């Protein structure tokens, strides 16, 4: 208990502290709208300060910010449009400077060419400025929605004030450029007031949008009203624009209508679509800019403008598919498709991602049969992909169907106990097909997952199989009968079998008894005790005194003493000296083998002495007789003198 | 149930082996521990940068010492660190709480880590708390921090700024995780290098820049490897290690000296004997 507790504590601590450590890096993933508002204001300040070099760097940084999907598109659009306006301003300023230089140098032809470019750019800048305003106003609204409620009013006022300042600045710049252009056909913005009513908040895709537009002339002296045209530019998702032109009557309400994009066009033009999966609807932002233009000097002059916002609405078609969850292999699959909507929709059928057919779905119920030849055995994923049309977005519905074969009537079994070597594993079975001829039957038998039999069998079979050599073991038998007629599924049966090796079971205890009775384990015990005594590894067999204390087991009651062989030590000392002039003995060599290998290299007198010494060491080590140490030393000394 | 002596030794050995396995191979949960393989650990940094682990008394054997300051540095520790730098050593400090400020002043360096979080919604990884700093020395390197503090240099002429935040970052003075009107916006220092006597001092105002979950982000490893000079080690005591960290340090220290198998054998033997003795006493009672 005392040992277990700290272990458990350590493990629990690791788990708990590990999870706490992981939690440290959690943190809010909501974006910080306040800092975005501050950076927005600073960007506008830089534009107003006309620090274009720096503000272009800032916009290129800010346009790359990673933000949640509900704001990222608008954010990127804002900064890319701002960059466009800044670029316009930068180029216009440089052209203005160039114009003044050209005027001073009296280069009239180049001046006129540059002036034409300048005029075109002024018009482009005017268009960019018009597009920018609704975008920035919307951005301000979105930012304010995301700031802390206690700061919402503060930031709304601040953002609106700075946005107004920017447009005042841009309009001043525009007036300035117009003044430079002189004859640029842009009239003051306030020549005509355009009032828009009945702007729908949502408009269904593919339907007509009706607008009531009233034009009120503010300053009749400015322009000639003989050819007044209303230009309506409708932007979808800030990416695609359609332009309409209407003849209008001044100082009266003009009803105009235009057909909005349908779902097919939205997909075709790859417009950004927001989805509300809970309501099954899709949205595309729509904003329109209404210009009033008159013709002056053969050119269209913008004399007034206004904007509107709306949202294009598309629906997910309400389709449900009914199909049996299981069908038999070889049968057709009938899909019942119910569509609750208007018109008809084109649809494609896929099985596991492979296109297999197409159909048209009408309001109500439509049936579609998938031929049996297309349905393989197993779980099949059937997808119905609907094409976008009118107000309906394209979508996909998926069902899964299990295609299974018929079941064979089968009785399968195997032996429960196998007594080696007297019996073998028997596998028996009777198989019959109820619906059709099962054809050729293929039998596979697995023993613990490994195949031990593979072959064709008749409808009634009884085979014997070998089992692995074992003492006593339990095995899992898997019997699989696969008919060649694929209408049927393979039949699988599982069983267990005990394999007993009878001779081994009987022999083992007898062997153990013999081992224990004869004391064979003594050798192991001696080795253990020898190591414990830390005796030098020169063992002298035969002279080792053993003492048993009378116990019949004799395993843990033996005391062994080892002694060193002085004769052997003297011999190895001599061999060490000899090995300077002769070969060293190999570790596997016996004393005689070593002598036999080296004697040819010794002088006759030394050879004889070395042979005597070898025999004496053998005697000392391997017999019960002792060798006289002084005599041995004397022989060693003589050899040493001989080889000196 | 009474166990005979052989069974007792067998059981004790199994228990001892289990404990040893836990000691050697189980990671520790200690934040900033070199033996913690989780998000908050430094195991990847140690491995990738080829750092040794050392204790304070042993730091003089190294050219560079890295300390991840997770608690106050005591005066005695400060003296050792000061001595190390004075002898020409390179000290790299990861400190976001300002715990090292007293050592800085002891070293005569007028550089302060201000414990206020830097947040950046523009140059970030994943979210604004993972601030991406730019390396002033090796241009183009992006260093990822997690809720870093910032460094203020007071009239220190020899300070070399290593990493700074972007011009869009701000100091979250009130700590609410969002920008509050009035909070300063602009680039701040998050890594500086100073010459101190014969040695040098590097201060990085974030501990998390080296943890497993971040160290492989951006160019952190490239940057950190460039900071190291010669034989380098991570000093263990300032991370506020737990007992398991100290034990692992001890085992691995002796392992490097005499070899793992011997350490394991010795420990196994000691634990087995203790377990057997405790068990034997219990049995005799």
């Amino acid at each position: 208990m005392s040992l277990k507790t700290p272990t458990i504590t350590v493990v629990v601590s690791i788990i708990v502290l590990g999870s706490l450590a992981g939690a440290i890096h959690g943190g809010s993933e909501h974006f910080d709208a306040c800092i975005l508002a501050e950076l927005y204001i600073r960007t506008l300040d830089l534009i107003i300060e006309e620090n274009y070099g720096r503000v272009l760097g800032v916009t290129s940084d800010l346009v790359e910010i990673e933000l949640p999907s509900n704001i990222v598109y608008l954010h990127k659009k804002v900064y890319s449009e701002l960059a466009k306006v800044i670029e316009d301003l930068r180029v216009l300023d440089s052209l203005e400077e160039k114009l003044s230089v050209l005027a001073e140098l009296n280069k009239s032809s180049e001046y006129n060419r540059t002036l034409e470019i300048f005029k075109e750019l002024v018009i482009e800048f005017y268009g960019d400025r018009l597009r920018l305003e609704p975008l920035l106003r919307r951005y301000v609204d979105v930012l304010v929605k995301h700031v802390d409620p206690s700061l919402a009013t503060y930031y709304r006022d601040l953002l609106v004030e700075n946005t107004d300042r920017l447009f005042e600045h841009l309009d001043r710049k525009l007036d300035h450029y117009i003044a430079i252009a002189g004859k640029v056909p842009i009239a003051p913005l306030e020549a005509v007031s355009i009032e828009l009513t009945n702007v729908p908040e949502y408009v269904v895709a593919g339907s007509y949008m009706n607008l009531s537009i009233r034009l009120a002339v503010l300053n009749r002296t400015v322009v000639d009203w003989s050819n007044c045209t209303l230009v309506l530019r409708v932007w979808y998702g800030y990416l695609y624009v359609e332009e309409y032109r209407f003849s209008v009557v001044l100082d009266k309400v003009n009803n105009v209508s235009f057909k909005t994009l349908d779902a097919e066009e939205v997909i075709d033009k790859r417009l950004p679509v927001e989805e509300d999966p809970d309501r099954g609807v899709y949205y595309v932002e729509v904003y329109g800019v209404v210009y009033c233009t008159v013709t002056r000097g053969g050119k269209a002059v913008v004399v007034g403008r206004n904007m509107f916002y709306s949202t294009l609405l598309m629906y997910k078609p309400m389709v449900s598919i009914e199909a049996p969850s299981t069908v038999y292999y070889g049968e057709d699959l009938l899909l019942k498709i119910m569509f609750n909507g208007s018109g008809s929709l084109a649809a494609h059928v896929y099985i596991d991602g492979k296109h297999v057919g197409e159909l048209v779905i009408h309001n109500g119920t439509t049936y579609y049969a998938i031929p049996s030849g297309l349905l393989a055995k197993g779980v099949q994923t059937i997808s119905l992909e609907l094409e976008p049309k009118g107000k309906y977005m394209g979508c996909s519905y998926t069902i899964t169907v299990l295609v299974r074969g018929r079941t064979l009537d089968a009785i399968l079994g195997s032996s429960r106990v196998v007594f080696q070597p007297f019996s073998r594993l028997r596998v028996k079975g009777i198989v019959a097909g109820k619906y059709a001829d099962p054809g050729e039957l293929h039998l596979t038998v697995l023993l613990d997952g490994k195949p031990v039999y593979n072959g064709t069998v008749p409808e009634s079979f009884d085979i014997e199989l070998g089992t692995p050599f074992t003492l006593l073991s339990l095995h899992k038998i898997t019997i699989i009968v696969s008919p060649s007629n694929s209408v049927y599924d393979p039949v699988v049966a599982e069983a267990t079998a005990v394999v007993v090796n009878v001779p081994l079971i009987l022999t083992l205890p007898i062997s153990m008894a013999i081992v224990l009775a004869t004391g064979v384990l003594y050798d192991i015990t001696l080795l253990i005790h020898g190591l414990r005594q830390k005796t030098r590894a020169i063992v002298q067999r035969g002279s080792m005194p053993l003492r048993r204390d009378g116990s019949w087991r004799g395993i843990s009651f033996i005391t062994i003493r080892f002694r060193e062989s002085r004769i052997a030590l003297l011999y190895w000392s001599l061999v060490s000296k000899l090995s300077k002039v002769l070969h060293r003995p190999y570790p596997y060599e016996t004393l005689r083998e070593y002598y036999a290998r080296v004697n040819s290299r010794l002088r006759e007198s030394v050879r004889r002495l070395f042979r005597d010494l070898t025999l004496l060491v053998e005697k000392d080590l391997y017999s019960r007789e002792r060798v006289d140490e002084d005599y041995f030393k004397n022989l060693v000394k003589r050899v040493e003198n001989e080889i000196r | 149930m009474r166990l005979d002596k052989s069974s007792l030794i067998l059981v004790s050995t199994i228990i001892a082996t289990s404990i040893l396995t836990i000691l050697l191979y189980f990671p520790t949960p200690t934040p900033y521990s070199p033996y913690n393989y989780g998000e908050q650990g430094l195991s990847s940094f140690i491995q990738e940068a080829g750092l040794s682990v050392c204790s304070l008394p042993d730091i003089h054997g190294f050219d560079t010492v890295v300390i991840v300051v997770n608690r106050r540095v005591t005066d005695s520790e400060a003296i050792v660190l000061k001595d190390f730098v004075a002898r020409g050593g390179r000290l790299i400090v990861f400190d976001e709480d300002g715990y090292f400020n007293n050592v800085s002043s002891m070293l005569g360096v007028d550089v302060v880590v201000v414990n206020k979080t830097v947040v950046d919604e523009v140059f970030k990884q994943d979210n604004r708390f993972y601030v991406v700093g730019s390396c002033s020395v090796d241009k183009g390197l992006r260093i990822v921090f997690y809720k870093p503090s910032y460094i203020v240099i007071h009239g220190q002429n020899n300070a070399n700024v290593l990493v700074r935040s972007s011009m869009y970052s701000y100091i979250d003075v009130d700590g609410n995780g969002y920008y509050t009107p009035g909070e300063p916006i602009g680039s701040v220092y998050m890594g500086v290098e100073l010459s101190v006597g014969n040695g040098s001092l590097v201060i990085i105002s974030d501990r998390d820049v080296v943890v497993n979950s971040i160290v492989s982000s951006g160019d952190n490893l490239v940057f950190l490897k460039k900071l190291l000079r010669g034989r380098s080690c991570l000093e263990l005591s300032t991370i506020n290690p737990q007992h398991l960290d100290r034990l692992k340090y001890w085992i691995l220290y002796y392992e490097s000296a005499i070899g793992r198998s011997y350490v394991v054998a010795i420990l196994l033997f000691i634990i087995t004997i203790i377990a057997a003795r405790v068990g034997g006493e219990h049995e005799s009672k």
Side-chain angles (χ1 to χ4, degrees), chain B residues 26-101:
Chain B
F26 261 54
T28 68
T30 315
Y32 313 108
S33 167
Y35 312 116
N36 180 350
Y37 302 106
E39 288 189 347
Q40 281 269 283
L42 300 187
S43 57
S44 297
F45 174 47
I46 292 291
Q47 197 177 347
E48 295 288 335
L51 287 179
S52 308
V53 181
C54 60
S55 62
L56 208 56
D58 304 322
I59 62 172
H60 291 291
F62 293 90
D63 302 307
T64 303
V65 170
V66 177
I67 61 169
V68 180
V69 191
N70 198 21
R71 61 164 173 78
R72 295 214 167 276
V73 181
T74 63
D75 289 345
S76 57
E77 287 170 338
I79 290 164
V80 177
L81 293 172
K82 184 188 169 189
D83 188 41
F84 172 74
V85 178
R87 288 188 192 188
R90 183 173 172 82
L91 184 62
I92 302 173
V93 182
F94 294 90
D95 174 28
E96 63 188 43
D97 297 301
Y99 291 145
F100 192 77
N101 289 345

Side-chain angles (χ1 to χ4, degrees), chain A residues 11-186:
Chain A
V11 173
V12 170
S13 306
I14 288 164
I15 294 164
V16 172
L17 290 172
S19 61
L20 282 175
I24 290 168
H25 280 175
S28 168
E29 288 186 4
H30 296 293
F31 73 98
D32 186 350
C34 293
I35 190 67
L36 288 188
E38 292 287 339
L39 296 175
Y40 170 76
I41 292 164
R42 283 171 186 234
T43 308
L44 301 193
D45 281 345
L46 287 172
I47 297 172
I48 294 165
E49 287 167 15
E50 301 189 3
N51 191 345
Y52 300 135
R54 194 162 169 218
V55 78
L56 277 173
V58 169
T59 50
S60 71
D61 284 342
L62 294 180
V63 82
E64 296 297 329
I65 302 181
E66 288 175 21
L67 289 168
S69 56
N70 56 348
I71 191 172
V72 68
Y73 175 73
L74 182 61
H75 173 87
K76 284 182 187 297
K77 189 72 188 168
V78 161
Y79 282 98
S80 54
E81 287 294 325
L82 275 174
K84 207 170 172 188
V85 167
I86 296 157
E87 191 60 32
D88 289 345
L89 288 167
R90 204 172 62 81
V91 176
L92 281 167
D93 281 359
S94 67
L95 283 176
E96 182 190 339
E97 202 173 318
K98 190 179 176 184
L99 282 170
S100 67
V101 172
L102 290 170
E104 203 172 312
L105 297 173
N106 204 18
K107 291 189 172 179
S108 57
S109 60
E110 197 175 347
Y111 178 88
N112 288 334
R113 271 204 309 275
T114 310
L115 187 64
E116 284 306 309
I117 297 167
F118 186 79
K119 284 175 186 175
E120 283 175 19
L121 268 173
V122 171
I123 294 168
E124 198 173 307
F125 169 60
Y126 179 51
D128 290 340
R129 178 254 178 263
L130 287 180
R131 263 207 314 282
L132 187 65
E133 187 164 1
L135 201 62
L136 295 196
R137 303 280 179 208
R138 181 140 187 272
Y139 186 59
V140 167
D141 287 344
V142 172
L143 282 183
V144 170
K145 268 184 205 167
H146 285 90
V147 300
D148 188 281
S150 63
L151 294 169
T153 311
Y154 168 79
Y155 272 113
R156 177 174 289 283
D157 293 347
L158 200 63
L159 291 167
V160 169
E161 184 193 325
N162 279 280
T163 307
D164 289 344
R165 273 180 58 222
L166 174 78
F167 286 110
E168 280 166 22
H169 173 77
L170 293 180
D171 288 343
R172 268 200 307 276
K173 292 290 285 183
L174 187 65
D175 290 342
H176 172 70
Y177 295 139
I178 289 168
I180 291 169
K183 293 176 184 175
V184 176
I186 296 176

Side-chain angles (χ1 to χ4, degrees), chain A residues 202-236:
Chain A
Y202 295 100
V203 57
V204 175
S207 67
Y208 280 86
M209 182 186 266
N210 301 307
L211 297 171
S212 298
I213 302 172
R214 183 185 166 84
L215 300 169
V217 179
L218 301 174
N219 186 354
R220 283 184 184 276
T221 60
V222 174
V223 288
D224 171 19
W225 301 103
S226 59
N227 194 1
C228 183
T229 308
L230 193 75
V231 180
L232 176 59
R233 287 170 66 80
V234 184
W235 287 83
Y236 293 90

Side-chain angles (χ1 to χ4, degrees), chain A residues 519-532:
Chain A
V520 171
L521 293 176
Y522 281 175
D523 284 348
I524 300 163
T525 315
L526 294 180
L527 184 63
I528 293 164
H529 279 268
L531 291 169
R532 282 181 185 171

